């Protein structure tokens, strides 16, 4: 449940799940489509938005101490991370062996599970998992920062962002992009995480939800304006990949695009959540699916890369097209995208069934 800091209730606000679902679509598309404006657009905001949304749900008072907090997040983030890394590594190794795919080392990617670095060449079996350990670092750092007055918290988050920018620049004495658990990316991530938390302190979940739905026209106009600006500015900032330490051509645009994406996603999500109250609405089922994907965004993040690799291989086998065409042309990437979403959803459903079964048998 999402506890609202304004009402202290534990009502779950569907728009947060819908927002996560929308961001997950952008993640999948960005990983699939390797070039073009749509790729740059997806990377312009999706990870920043995930950090922001995570910050909106952070509540330091739930945990008496850093140790309690670390234990809780280790159970909910690090243990699933290790499990998914091991399982997907096993599948990757078997797949490479059966298909006679040449690899430099089978064991090195497994060992890199401990390093959990998201830059190029690491976690080749499931690179998307870098975000999980990075989020753990971000949350642990913010646990200390949130104890400060809001103005000091904002200042320290900004300083962390400055340090993060310095860390990803080329240095002759050390490559900070080799740090474990993507610490250099976490310094950038804490800016958006802190922004999300400070925002929800000022505008709690219930207040934002009520305000947007009371003035749907204004909310839709603001969402549309943010989306249009993002469409115009997002692709203009060059290659952005937080995991690899690339923040684009302009640092100002990097942060502006991230915040524009957050605004568009949040506002559209609140408006879309209203359709869930309509039992026969056109958008009801698609929005319910988006909300479900958002609720299971960890599973989606952990599963979609292996699924994507298989889908592209299948398309390559039947179309006799090379990888460049299959991952840069809309006529191939869009059907691949839909199939990836379908198969990922089926895997999430199966994992959910398995989890409920084992919990009913008291194994979990």
């Amino acid at each position: 449940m999402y506890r609202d800091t304004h009402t202290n209730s534990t009502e779950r606000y569907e728009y947060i799940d819908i927002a996560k679902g929308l961001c997950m679509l952008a993640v999948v598309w960005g990983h699939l489509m390797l070039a073009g404006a749509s790729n740059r657009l997806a990377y312009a905001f999706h990870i920043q938005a995930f950090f922001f949304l995570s910050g909106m749900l952070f509540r330091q008072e739930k945990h008496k101490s850093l140790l309690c907090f670390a234990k809780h997040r280790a159970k909910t983030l690090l243990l699933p991370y290790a499990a998914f890394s091991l399982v997907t590594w096993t599948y990757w190794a078997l797949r490479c062996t059966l298909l006679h795919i040449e690899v430099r080392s089978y064991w090195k990617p497994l060992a890199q599970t401990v390093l959990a670095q998201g830059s190029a060449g690491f976690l080749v079996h499931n690179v998307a998992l870098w975000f999980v350990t990075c989020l753990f670092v971000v949350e642990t750092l913010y646990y200390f920062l949130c104890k400060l007055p809001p103005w000091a918290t904002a200042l320290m988050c900004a300083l962390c962002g400055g340090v993060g920018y310095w860390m990803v620049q080329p240095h002759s004495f050390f490559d900070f992009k080799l740090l474990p658990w993507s610490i250099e990316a976490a310094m950038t991530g804490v800016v958006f995480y802190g922004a999300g938390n400070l925002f929800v302190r000022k505008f709690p979940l219930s207040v934002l939800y009520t305000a947007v739905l009371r003035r749907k026209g204004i909310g839709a106009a603001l969402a549309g304006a943010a989306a249009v600006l993002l469409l115009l500015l997002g692709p203009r900032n060059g290659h952005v990949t937080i995991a690899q330490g690339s923040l684009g051509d302009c640092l100002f645009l990097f942060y502006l695009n991230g915040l524009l994406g957050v605004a568009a996603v949040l506002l559209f999500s609140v408006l879309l959540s209203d359709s869930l109250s309509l039992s026969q609405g056109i958008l009801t089922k698609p929005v319910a699916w988006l909300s479900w994907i958002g609720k299971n965004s960890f599973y989606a993040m952990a599963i979609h890369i292996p699924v994507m690799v298989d889908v592209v291989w299948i398309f390559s086998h039947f179309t006799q097209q090379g990888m460049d065409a299959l991952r840069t042309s809309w006529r191939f990437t869009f059907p691949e995208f839909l199939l990836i979403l379908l198969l990922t959803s089926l895997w999430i459903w199966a994992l959910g069934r398995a989890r409920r079964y084992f919990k009913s048998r008291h194994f979990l």
Side-chain angles (χ1 to χ4, degrees):
M1 294 296 179
Y2 303 149
R3 182 177 292 276
D4 192 301
T5 54
H6 181 68
T7 63
N8 206 36
S9 70
T10 54
E11 181 180 354
R12 188 170 193 122
Y13 288 89
E14 292 284 346
Y15 75 87
I16 295 294
D17 292 321
I18 294 169
K20 288 182 178 181
L22 289 171
C23 290
M24 199 63 236
L25 296 187
V27 168
V28 175
W29 181 261
H31 286 158
L32 176 63
M33 178 65 101
L34 294 180
S38 65
N39 170 273
R40 296 194 298 273
L41 178 64
Y43 274 94
F45 77 95
H46 61 36
I47 294 301
Q48 298 93 310
F50 262 122
F51 280 126
F52 191 98
L53 292 169
S54 299
M56 290 181 72
L57 303 178
F58 175 84
R59 292 186 72 248
Q60 182 267 336
E61 59 269 25
K62 286 175 60 178
H63 308 284
K64 297 179 181 179
S65 66
L66 175 63
L67 181 61
C68 292
F69 175 75
K71 285 182 177 179
H72 171 72
R73 295 311 274 161
K75 181 180 179 180
T76 55
L77 284 178
L78 299 186
L79 287 180
Y81 160 80
F84 273 101
S85 185
L86 177 61
V87 170
T88 53
W89 171 84
T90 302
Y91 177 73
W92 169 82
L94 288 172
R95 185 179 183 277
C96 290
T97 301
L98 294 173
L99 296 179
H100 305 290
I101 298 173
E102 184 178 351
V103 295
R104 292 183 179 181
S105 171
Y106 283 101
W107 297 107
K108 190 176 180 180
L110 180 61
Q112 290 170 350
T113 296
V114 179
L115 183 62
Q117 173 56 246
S119 58
F122 293 89
L123 293 174
V124 295
H125 59 290
N126 197 349
V127 68
L129 290 175
W130 74 272
F131 179 79
V132 182
T133 51
C134 182
L135 180 61
F136 181 83
V137 174
V138 167
E139 292 189 336
T140 303
L141 175 59
Y142 191 74
Y143 185 89
F144 293 102
L145 299 184
C146 72
K147 296 176 182 291
L148 302 171
W151 67 266
T153 300
L155 178 61
M156 292 304 297
C157 286
L159 288 174
C160 286
V163 172
Y165 179 71
W166 175 81
M167 291 172 76
V168 300
Q169 301 308 303
H171 298 289
S172 59
F173 57 91
F174 185 70
D175 186 358
F176 287 96
K177 287 182 280 188
L178 298 177
L179 288 173
W181 295 20
S182 298
I183 292 174
E184 79 292 345
M187 302 302 284
T188 299
V190 78
V191 178
F192 291 96
Y193 192 94
N197 187 251
L198 292 172
F199 176 82
V200 85
R201 287 196 217 176
K202 188 71 174 178
F203 304 100
L205 299 177
S206 59
V207 172
L208 176 62
Y209 179 78
T210 303
V212 174
L213 291 186
R214 279 181 178 174
R215 300 169 179 85
K216 292 181 182 179
I218 296 176
L222 290 174
V228 169
L229 285 173
L230 181 63
L231 284 169
L232 293 173
L233 298 176
R236 294 179 179 272
N237 196 30
H239 181 66
V240 173
T241 309
I242 295 178
Q244 298 180 16
S246 177
L247 305 184
D249 300 329
C250 174
L251 187 63
F252 174 75
L253 276 182
F254 168 77
Y255 282 104
L256 177 61
N257 288 333
L259 293 176
L260 285 172
V262 167
V265 166
L266 270 179
L267 290 169
F268 276 128
S269 297
V270 173
L271 295 169
L272 288 172
S273 68
D274 193 41
S275 68
L276 293 177
S277 61
L278 305 174
S279 59
Q280 300 297 327
I282 296 175
L283 294 176
T284 302
K285 288 186 177 180
V287 172
W289 175 80
L290 266 180
S291 178
W292 178 75
I293 286 291
K295 289 183 179 75
N296 294 280
S297 57
F298 179 93
Y299 290 149
M301 186 76 75
I303 293 169
H304 79 277
I305 290 291
V307 170
M308 181 186 72
V309 171
D310 283 341
V311 167
V312 173
W313 181 85
I314 291 170
F315 269 71
S316 175
H317 180 75
F318 284 103
T319 64
Q320 300 299 307
Q321 296 288 329
M323 291 297 174
D324 288 342
L326 291 174
R327 301 186 67 176
T328 57
S329 171
W330 275 77
R331 69 190 181 101
F332 293 117
T333 50
F334 190 69
E336 288 169 347
F337 176 69
L338 296 178
L339 184 56
I340 291 167
L341 293 180
L342 173 62
L343 294 177
T344 300
S345 298
L346 290 174
W347 271 111
I348 293 172
W349 174 81
L351 287 170
R353 290 290 298 268
R355 190 169 184 268
R356 287 192 294 272
Y357 173 81
F358 286 114
K359 284 188 73 172
S360 67
R361 300 297 189 274
H362 306 290
F363 291 129
L364 295 176

